[in-house]
Amino acid sequence: MQQQLLPPGLKKEPKELTLHGDTRVDPYYWLNDRENPEVIAYLEQENAYYESLTSHTNDLKEELFQEMKARIKEDDSSVPYKYNGYWYSTRFEVGKEYPIFTRRFKKEDAPEEIMVDCNRMAEGFDYFNLGGLAVSPNNKMAVFGIDTVSRRQYTLRFKNLETGELFPDKIENTTGGAVWANDNQTVFYTKKDPVTLRSNNIYKHILGTPTEEDQLVFHEEDETFTTFVYKTKSRKFIVIGSSSTMTSEYQILNADHPEDEFQIFSKRVRGLEYSIAHYRNDFYILTNKDGATNFKVMRTSDEQTEAKYWQEFIPHRDEVLMEDIEMFKDYYVLSERKNGLNLIKIVRWDGADNFYLPFNDETYTAYVGANPDFDTEILRYGYNSMTTPSSVIDFNMRTKDSEIKKEQEVLGGKFDKENYISKRVWATASDGVKVPISLVYHKTTKLDGNSPLLQYAYGAYGYTIDPYFSTVRLSLLDRGFIYAISHVRGGEYLGRKWYEDGRLLQKMNTFTDFVDCSKYLIENKYTSPDHLYAMGGSAGGLLMGAVVNLAPEIYNGVISAVPFVDVLTTMLDDSIPLTTGEYDEWGNPNKKEYYDYIKQYSPYDNVVEKEYPNMLVTTGLHDSQVQYFEPAKWVAKIRELKKDNNLLLFNINMEAGHGGASGRFESLREVAKEYAFLLDLEQNKSKIEKKA
């Protein structure tokens, strides 16, 4: 590759950061100012540098984009679901970026009513996202949130579904969702702190009244908690939830009496997590109470909800993670995870029957879908694997008959799932723990150590990356790539302990697990250091930052998307969005024990003079989760210190935030950039090997 531009130069303004007797010097701290013209100029220079060094791949980017787009059915629609007398669906039209939300009265073939056409509402905006669409109990009104900046600060709007009139009521800086009381006039919603963006206030709004008169019904004082509001499936209660990483608390209010005050369900106790579901006159509580590490289900009357009244309903099991419980009139459905695999168990309330849905693939994803209708014997669930497109399935819990309502179409005429192989293998970590890896590749791909392999992981917050199907991924698989998901500690793939062993003072396990998985894949001839690539985003971007410090020599290329890489500085600044709520995940570095531990792995603090792999780093200027200046500083520091001629590219979406572009096709252009980066590196490596 011929460099047409030199890397952007960046001035230094050393800032000393001292705590616990330790002083760190940050030369690029000044980038923490989105309004500074010098900051914007630098980011634009990085984009120009990126465009210059990748211009030779523009045709490949366009080819990948068109290829990915061609696999997607443009005039697509979701499977309708029934709720309160209407069938609801979301559809797309050919050539349009955004969804259209529709409904039909009583019958699926009744005349369509368009509730919201996002394509019209998005006109004039570079970014648009609609969230939290909720219809009033009498089916006449809708409330929804709109974000046109990509900082996840939504403005609530109200619409009369009978006349199509958009009400003048506007409520800004919300989470995007709202909940209707049963009087069809009152809504409860969550507001964010304007600086930290923490969801900390629940308000009550009455239609037709000035929004400045909205009543604050709850303020979450603890800075490590966020709050939210929802309605039980039984429609009897409005629920306010407060949660931190390790602690929960709920308040309930009869939805028929929005003028009343919320009552505490059970007071928060540090380390006690619980969630609640309502059925008839009881609440069912999914909780870790009494040392139930993998959670259990308890039950209590809706008139006596304090923890002292809870009675065991489904006991804790060491080998099974209890993830959720779904209520129906005659059945309840459990979502479980055993040995990393999803299980769905159906049980009749009268005890007459209970069984698991059969899943036969070695590695797969199965989940309970949207089931808002309480009085039904139909369970809707979803299923896919790394070789099998997603299916939406209606299962009759009484007759045990299944109907596939929709299977994801892969257009283009080239896809045949028989051409792909998926499997699960187990790497041995440095401490002897077995770490699972889900793999998929084309059946013609050779496993001789010379094939390119993209290894992905996330590894934080107990969030599990299940082995899922992807149409865009086919562009790599059909070009000879193997794709691997490493289920590293920090997620919950192997149960709650798997998460506990990858956070706080055991966070290093996440990073070393990934490296050990890489070494396993190399040793077992799936790939080699010359053909191994790594990718992660957000907390997974932190993982990438740690990995290139730990073992840069075993990767030819790394993609770090919206990466959380300046962990110490961010976690010490409680004015930055979301910081205080993260203490239970990473630790509070105001305490020396956590300060010292985080400093061991924080990518920005561990950049040193050495060789780094080829790297592509991406971010969004308006990112609310990981601020743009973290990757900006990180890239600048690596560029200053690295002792190699490998690529270091930084691409900034100047219109978007954490989730990237908002349109369904525009987002594919970002994937095409990432894949072009990988394919170009691989092509160059192959040319070098052939010459040798």
Side-chain angles (χ1 to χ4, degrees):
M1 298 181 188
Q2 292 185 345
Q3 298 187 7
Q4 299 171 16
L5 282 181
L6 292 174
L10 191 61
K11 71 176 182 180
K12 293 182 179 181
E13 292 183 2
K15 182 179 178 63
E16 291 189 354
L17 304 168
T18 301
L19 186 65
H20 306 305
D22 178 59
T23 297
R24 295 176 298 132
V25 179
D26 186 349
Y28 304 115
Y29 189 88
W30 66 274
L31 286 171
N32 182 358
D33 183 1
R34 190 181 285 102
E35 305 304 320
N36 185 341
E38 287 187 80
V39 171
I40 299 302
Y42 163 66
L43 298 178
E44 289 174 343
Q45 289 170 21
E46 284 285 4
N47 276 344
Y49 181 67
Y50 166 82
E51 294 296 339
S52 174
L53 266 68
T54 63
S55 60
H56 66 285
T57 67
N58 285 345
D59 289 344
L60 176 59
K61 293 175 192 174
E62 185 63 24
E63 177 188 339
L64 289 165
F65 169 73
Q66 295 297 341
E67 187 177 289
M68 295 171 188
K69 183 180 177 182
R71 296 192 191 103
I72 297 175
K73 186 179 180 183
E74 291 199 41
D75 56 342
D76 203 4
S77 61
S78 65
V79 179
Y81 66 86
K82 186 180 179 184
Y83 181 70
N84 201 23
Y86 279 83
W87 289 90
Y88 289 88
S89 183
T90 304
R91 64 177 176 83
F92 291 89
E93 293 183 349
V94 174
K96 294 186 178 180
E97 292 279 355
Y98 297 101
I100 300 169
F101 294 90
T102 71
R103 67 178 185 174
R104 300 173 189 268
F105 184 51
K106 287 190 176 180
K107 298 180 180 179
E108 290 188 64
D109 58 356
E112 179 187 77
E113 299 177 30
I114 294 180
M115 296 187 294
V116 184
D117 184 345
C118 293
N119 298 285
R120 291 185 178 181
M121 299 194 76
E123 291 176 0
F125 296 106
D126 292 319
Y127 178 91
F128 181 88
N129 188 38
L130 183 143
L133 178 65
V135 177
S136 61
N138 63 6
N139 294 312
K140 296 181 179 181
M141 306 289 298
V143 59
F144 49 85
I146 295 172
D147 176 12
T148 57
V149 178
S150 188
R151 276 185 69 79
R152 303 187 183 182
Q153 293 172 282
Y154 291 82
T155 298
L156 289 182
R157 300 300 309 270
F158 297 84
K159 187 173 184 178
N160 186 318
L161 295 177
E162 294 182 318
T163 67
E165 174 192 7
L166 200 61
F167 280 55
D169 309 54
K170 290 184 180 180
I171 305 174
E172 296 181 344
N173 194 32
T174 77
T175 57
V179 178
W180 291 93
N182 290 342
D183 65 354
N184 301 292
Q185 291 292 313
T186 306
V187 295
F188 295 89
Y189 63 91
T190 311
K191 265 204 164 188
K192 295 186 170 186
D193 182 287
V195 176
T196 66
L197 302 188
R198 182 171 69 93
S199 308
N200 61 348
N201 290 319
I202 305 293
Y203 280 87
K204 177 168 67 175
H205 174 70
I206 299 174
L207 277 186
T209 64
T211 56
E212 58 267 22
E213 295 180 5
D214 288 1
Q215 178 187 349
L216 176 65
V217 296
F218 175 64
H219 170 68
E220 178 52 70
E221 295 182 355
D222 191 324
E223 293 182 345
T224 66
F225 280 71
T226 58
T227 189
F228 51 93
V229 62
Y230 68 95
K231 199 175 194 177
T232 59
K233 186 175 177 177
S234 66
R235 309 182 201 178
K236 183 176 179 180
F237 292 98
I238 307 289
V239 181
I240 292 176
S242 292
S243 68
S244 68
T245 304
M246 304 300 296
T247 307
S248 316
E249 181 182 74
Y250 291 87
Q251 303 171 56
I252 57 175
L253 172 71
N254 190 311
D256 291 331
H257 301 286
E259 71 283 355
D260 289 351
E261 293 186 0
F262 282 82
Q263 303 297 316
I264 294 288
F265 186 89
S266 189
K267 292 181 180 179
R268 66 187 69 178
V269 176
R270 178 71 178 171
L272 175 64
E273 297 176 71
Y274 71 94
S275 59
I276 57 178
H278 187 253
Y279 174 74
R280 293 187 176 172
N281 297 316
D282 291 324
F283 277 100
Y284 291 78
I285 306 110
L286 182 66
T287 179
N288 66 347
K289 191 174 184 292
D290 306 319
T293 306
N294 274 338
F295 290 77
K296 62 181 177 180
V297 179
M298 304 186 80
R299 177 173 59 189
T300 193
S301 162
D302 58 21
E303 294 181 352
Q304 293 181 313
T305 60
E306 280 289 339
K308 64 182 179 181
Y309 298 113
W310 300 357
Q311 300 294 319
E312 191 167 278
F313 181 66
I314 301 173
H316 172 261
R317 288 163 290 171
D318 290 334
E319 73 283 2
V320 177
L321 175 66
M322 187 76 69
E323 295 187 317
D324 199 9
I325 181 168
E326 181 83 41
M327 304 297 184
F328 295 90
K329 179 182 177 182
D330 296 321
Y331 302 85
Y332 63 88
V333 178
L334 301 173
S335 297
E336 302 175 347
R337 186 182 295 274
K338 184 176 182 180
N339 197 31
L341 300 179
N342 304 120
L343 304 174
I344 297 176
K345 185 177 184 180
I346 297 169
V347 185
R348 279 189 62 95
W349 284 107
D350 62 10
D353 197 10
N354 74 86
F355 56 94
Y356 285 94
L357 294 180
F359 304 124
N360 299 317
D361 285 327
E362 181 179 352
T363 180
Y364 62 85
T365 297
Y367 56 92
V368 173
N371 290 274
D373 194 6
F374 175 74
D375 190 5
T376 179
E377 56 190 24
I378 301 298
L379 167 71
R380 176 162 293 172
Y381 72 95
Y383 181 87
N384 68 89
S385 73
M386 297 181 85
T387 59
T388 306
S390 299
S391 294
V392 177
I393 302 164
D394 279 358
F395 180 81
N396 188 304
M397 295 181 282
R398 178 180 56 83
T399 66
K400 301 181 181 176
D401 293 327
S402 292
E403 179 185 1
I404 298 176
K405 302 296 290 185
K406 182 178 181 178
E407 184 171 17
Q408 178 184 3
E409 294 184 59
V410 183
L411 303 184
K414 298 179 180 179
F415 174 73
D416 180 351
K417 65 181 180 181
E418 300 303 322
N419 287 333
Y420 303 90
I421 298 169
S422 70
K423 65 167 99 171
R424 187 170 61 161
V425 297
W426 298 77
T428 302
S430 49
D431 61 356
V433 172
K434 297 289 187 180
V435 182
I437 309 170
S438 295
L439 293 163
V440 63
Y441 49 91
H442 196 281
K443 66 180 182 181
T444 60
T445 298
K446 295 180 180 179
L447 306 182
D448 59 1
N450 295 311
S451 292
L453 186 150
L454 177 58
Q455 182 185 352
Y456 176 84
Y458 183 71
Y461 304 105
Y463 182 73
T464 297
I465 304 295
D466 282 309
Y468 62 98
F469 182 80
S470 167
T471 60
V472 298
R473 188 192 297 144
L474 297 173
S475 292
L476 288 182
L477 303 184
D478 291 348
R479 289 173 171 83
F481 265 74
I482 301 168
Y483 187 88
I485 300 174
S486 293
H487 304 288
V488 296
R489 282 174 281 189
E492 254 180 9
Y493 187 79
L494 292 181
R496 183 67 177 201
K497 191 175 185 300
W498 201 245
Y499 168 46
E500 299 287 353
D501 288 348
R503 71 180 190 95
L504 294 178
L505 299 176
Q506 299 191 77
K507 188 64 207 170
M508 283 297 296
N509 285 334
T510 302
F511 315 135
T512 54
D513 279 359
F514 190 91
V515 172
D516 289 333
C517 286
S518 299
K519 292 177 179 178
Y520 171 90
L521 294 168
I522 293 168
E523 290 167 2
N524 286 273
K525 302 296 183 181
Y526 288 99
T527 190
S528 66
D530 285 342
H531 300 283
L532 177 58
Y533 304 89
M535 181 175 178
S538 193
L542 160 62
L543 170 58
M544 295 300 101
V547 162
V548 297
N549 285 331
L550 287 172
E553 70 282 355
I554 63 173
Y555 305 96
N556 187 37
V558 172
I559 298 175
S560 186
V562 293
F564 175 40
V565 285
D566 190 10
V567 186
L568 264 186
T569 306
T570 292
M571 294 304 297
L572 285 167
D573 187 351
D574 59 13
S575 71
I576 292 177
L578 309 180
T579 290
T580 56
E582 303 282 300
Y583 289 156
D584 280 340
E585 181 69 25
W586 315 103
N588 181 353
N590 290 294
K591 300 176 181 178
K592 189 176 187 304
E593 180 183 28
Y594 292 111
Y595 179 96
D596 292 341
Y597 190 80
I598 292 171
K599 191 179 179 184
Q600 292 179 49
Y601 67 75
S602 178
Y604 186 59
D605 292 293
N606 287 280
V607 175
V608 295
E609 293 187 2
K610 65 178 177 182
E611 294 186 355
Y612 284 87
N614 297 288
M615 294 175 65
L616 170 62
V617 181
T618 64
T619 192
L621 179 62
H622 301 288
D623 198 325
S624 61
Q625 311 300 107
V626 179
Q627 305 297 304
Y628 72 91
F629 47 80
E630 291 201 36
K633 296 194 305 180
W634 183 51
V635 167
K637 192 172 182 181
I638 295 176
R639 186 165 281 143
E640 174 195 354
L641 296 176
K642 74 191 194 82
K643 298 296 182 182
D644 58 75
N645 294 316
N646 291 329
L647 283 175
L648 176 54
L649 302 176
F650 186 29
N651 188 224
I652 307 98
N653 188 323
M654 302 299 282
E655 282 80 43
H658 200 62
S662 56
R664 60 173 175 153
F665 298 128
E666 279 308 303
S667 61
L668 294 179
R669 292 197 179 275
E670 297 185 353
V671 179
K673 285 182 179 181
E674 295 167 347
Y675 283 11
F677 173 75
L678 298 173
L679 291 165
D680 187 49
L681 288 177
E682 182 59 22
Q683 184 180 37
N684 285 319
K685 181 61 71 172
S686 297
K687 287 180 180 177
I688 293 171
E689 289 177 347
K690 286 180 180 178
K691 288 181 180 179

